[in-house]
Amino acid sequence: MNEIHLYDSLSNQKKKFEPIDPNNIRIYACGPTVYNYAHIGNARMAIVFDTFARLFRYKYSNVTYVSNITDIDDKIIDAANELHVPINELTKKYTDIYNEDMSNLNVLPPDIQPKATEYVDEMIKFIEILIEKDKAYEKNGHVFFHVPSYQGYGKLSNREIDQQLAGSRVQVSEIKKSKEDFVLWKPSTKDQPGWESPWGIGRPGWHTECCVMSEVNLKIPFDIHGGGQDLLFPHHENEIAQSCASINSDNPEEYAKYWIHNGFVTINGEKMSKSLNNIILLNDLLKEHDGETIRLALLSSHYRKSLDWNDNLIKQSKVLLDKVYDLLDTSDGNPDGEIDKSITENLLNDLDTPKVLTSINQLIKNKSSSNTSSIKRSLMFAGTILGVFNKNPSEWNKQIAKTDFEVEKIEKLIEERAILKSKRDFEGADAIRDSLSANGIELVDTEDGTSWKSKK
Ligand SMILES: [Zn+2]
């Protein structure tokens, strides 16, 4: 397999990726609504699409990856009211925290990270087009998309219209022509953020935001639209309806050719929810674990499947990283030779990261003095796509648990040991080695002196 194959949620099948324009691969993934700390589900989405962007950059010379920030939303308004802070202060704070958390997970910044509030003029123009085309109507300061007017509705989620519920973010109200109609614009009260529009002071609906931010930044149709599985309906279905209606098409591919959705994260087998009080925030997780360990753990399940987060998962991830860095830390065999075929093939095959990790484990197991250099090359190649294995190996190997010895103390003991050895006091030198060993520190004597690493 030399080409990228993807599972497309629109056609419900795995397909060979055929770019619309091979000179510019265009990808849009729905980003977070910023009113709180990012949780592990947000992290999975960001890591999955960052990894896809890396894979496309490996195959194509020019990739434009856009992932937005939703900085206007009812949840944001509620949170700002509760905390008595201005909305833009709240959204700026959590956008910065989100970007910092993602950077700690080695998620590269998207090429473009549009913020919804910066596109309101374009959103108003977009809604005007839909009204002109009789696909949307104004009522009491609201503008609704009239779902029965759009023939292609339901193609992504495979739902008949009468099965559909009103959009989860929309209050069912009597002012709508049909119960499935969804809001494109809603009026704002004096204490809510609002923009002037032909329909009075108000604000855009969520689905409209992504239609406009993707079209302005990528032009339609673009190659890939993605997001978490929970966005497939109604968010993505409603994006398709509007964007296709605006160009008189009922073919979703004329908005985005392929649709990719990543699975949920569960916590110890349970759905993550406020009521179960089991939401894991990255901000907390990053205090306990290295971002690379978290990233690799989140890539250990196939992106389309749900991933269960538990202590064992993070332990396994750390063990694999230790093994990889251990191998990369050897001075023999500089990275060279053929890249392991199974790694490349599994990456290209709908980003099958669990199989890539199996191959990596296998390579390490089969290591011998004659193949170390090609294994190193394979690991480093896998690392550039997966966004891992890019630290200085000796730095990684020095990582120790917070409860263990401090670095300064270890280095001082190594110095003392060297002095004892030079005085031929081997018993004293061994005693230092043993005491460090008892504290999880392994000493490695080489011609250049003594280095150390944390034992696993
Ligand atoms: Zn979106």
Side-chain angles (χ1 to χ4, degrees):
M1 190 178 286
N2 256 328
E3 301 297 329
I4 296 175
H5 285 65
L6 299 168
Y7 187 90
D8 170 33
S9 322
L10 179 61
S11 54
N12 275 321
Q13 55 180 312
K14 202 189 273 183
K15 285 179 159 176
K16 182 177 153 192
F17 175 74
E18 300 195 52
I20 296 170
D21 171 7
N23 295 315
N24 188 14
I25 309 302
R26 290 159 297 150
I27 306 171
Y28 184 92
C30 294
T33 302
V34 282
Y35 64 99
N36 200 343
Y37 288 98
H39 56 66
I40 192 134
N42 302 124
R44 188 178 193 202
M45 173 268 150
I47 289 171
V48 163
F49 288 96
D50 174 58
T51 310
F52 264 120
R54 289 166 185 260
L55 181 65
F56 279 95
R57 285 192 194 106
Y58 155 66
K59 286 297 286 182
Y60 297 93
S61 54
N62 193 16
V63 174
T64 310
Y65 170 45
V66 179
S67 188
N68 69 294
I69 293 285
T70 294
D71 60 348
I72 177 71
D73 182 87
D74 288 359
K75 284 184 199 157
I76 296 173
I77 297 173
D78 292 346
N81 285 342
E82 214 169 281
L83 297 165
H84 304 288
V85 292
I87 287 185
N88 51 6
E89 200 177 288
L90 184 87
T91 55
K92 171 146 190 354
K93 175 183 166 183
Y94 287 111
T95 303
D96 290 347
I97 291 174
Y98 174 82
N99 283 334
E100 201 187 318
D101 284 347
M102 292 312 126
S103 157
N104 282 321
L105 298 174
N106 201 21
V107 169
L108 300 170
D111 298 300
I112 305 169
Q113 186 178 52
K115 295 187 179 75
T117 51
E118 291 168 2
Y119 291 77
V120 176
D121 287 347
E122 287 92 338
M123 291 173 199
I124 291 171
K125 281 183 204 133
F126 179 76
I127 295 169
E128 283 181 310
I129 291 171
L130 291 171
I131 294 176
E132 259 169 47
K133 291 184 184 287
D134 247 358
K135 302 291 179 192
Y137 57 93
E138 188 269 340
K139 192 88 194 191
N140 302 351
H142 294 74
V143 179
F144 294 101
F145 186 86
H146 190 38
V147 171
S149 75
Y150 174 64
Q151 294 306 311
Y153 201 82
K155 284 187 179 166
L156 177 67
S157 55
N158 295 313
R159 296 175 191 225
E160 299 293 324
I161 284 187
D162 53 359
Q163 274 179 262
Q164 289 150 5
L165 301 166
S168 58
R169 290 201 187 183
V170 183
Q171 279 180 334
V172 177
S173 91
E174 307 90 58
I175 57 174
K176 296 200 282 185
K177 284 186 188 169
S178 302
K179 69 176 186 335
E180 54 277 338
D181 292 355
F182 58 88
V183 77
L184 305 182
W185 186 265
K186 65 200 288 183
S188 294
T189 57
K190 270 187 196 152
D191 56 346
Q192 291 172 332
W195 287 260
E196 295 258 10
S197 82
W199 322 287
I201 305 277
R203 57 191 192 275
W206 178 36
H207 317 311
T208 307
E209 295 174 3
C210 282
C211 293
V212 170
M213 285 186 277
S214 58
E215 181 168 356
V216 170
N217 289 295
L218 292 173
K219 307 282 173 259
I220 60 172
F222 51 92
D223 295 287
I224 293 171
H225 194 313
Q229 199 179 43
D230 52 328
L231 303 189
L232 192 144
F233 184 86
H235 185 49
H236 289 162
E237 194 73 76
N238 289 353
E239 277 188 46
I240 290 172
Q242 294 171 77
S243 290
C244 288
S246 77
I247 53 164
N248 302 321
S249 165
D250 59 6
N251 177 7
E253 283 187 36
E254 295 201 34
Y255 173 40
K257 191 171 174 187
Y258 303 95
W259 289 77
I260 298 180
H261 293 94
N262 68 274
F264 294 110
V265 177
T266 56
I267 310 295
N268 294 310
E270 283 182 315
K271 199 175 170 218
M272 189 163 58
S273 75
K274 244 187 196 171
S275 57
L276 289 172
N277 198 24
N278 64 353
I279 296 178
I280 296 184
L281 301 178
L282 274 172
N283 208 264
D284 296 330
L285 205 58
L286 281 162
K287 286 176 194 153
E288 284 174 51
H289 304 285
D290 184 88
E292 190 174 1
T293 314
I294 300 170
R295 181 176 180 120
L296 192 66
L298 284 169
L299 288 171
S300 63
S301 282
H302 189 263
Y303 77 90
R304 294 187 58 231
K305 295 197 176 135
S306 63
L307 176 138
D308 190 46
W309 188 262
N310 53 57
D311 283 347
N312 205 23
L313 186 76
I314 196 107
K315 272 184 204 147
Q316 282 173 356
S317 169
K318 172 81 167 52
V319 167
L320 179 57
L321 284 170
D322 286 341
K323 282 198 240 170
V324 169
Y325 279 117
D326 223 15
L327 197 147
L328 293 178
D329 202 11
T330 51
S331 54
D332 55 315
N334 285 325
D336 195 12
E338 291 276 302
I339 292 167
D340 184 74
K341 253 194 193 156
S342 68
I343 289 182
T344 321
E345 282 185 3
N346 286 314
L347 285 168
L348 293 172
N349 184 14
D350 199 26
L351 202 61
D352 197 340
T353 54
K355 285 204 180 136
V356 174
L357 299 186
T358 305
S359 302
I360 289 174
N361 268 308
Q362 202 60 41
L363 284 177
I364 294 173
K365 218 170 149 189
N366 296 338
K367 182 194 96 138
S368 71
S369 54
S370 62
N371 62 11
T372 311
S373 61
S374 68
I375 294 180
K376 274 189 184 176
R377 176 131 193 264
S378 298
L379 293 178
M380 288 172 86
F381 167 73
T384 57
I385 311 278
L386 300 177
V388 290
F389 313 155
N390 60 347
K391 289 199 174 77
N392 178 332
S394 62
E395 289 303 311
W396 174 271
N397 290 332
K398 281 182 182 174
Q399 280 190 8
I400 45 170
K402 283 176 190 139
T403 49
D404 284 340
F405 275 29
E406 283 166 16
V407 174
E408 217 173 293
K409 192 173 169 187
I410 297 166
E411 315 240 299
K412 207 167 162 222
L413 284 167
I414 291 176
E415 254 172 59
E416 279 175 28
R417 179 169 166 265
I419 294 168
L420 290 173
K421 273 170 82 177
S422 72
K423 292 180 181 164
R424 307 192 66 79
D425 179 357
F426 297 114
E427 216 168 285
D430 284 350
I432 289 178
R433 171 191 285 277
D434 293 345
S435 96
L436 282 168
S437 175
N439 284 284
I441 308 298
E442 187 186 338
L443 298 185
V444 184
D445 290 319
T446 65
E447 278 177 15
D448 304 328
T450 303
S451 66
W452 60 272
K453 58 188 177 186
S454 153
K455 287 202 291 190
K456 293 98 210 179

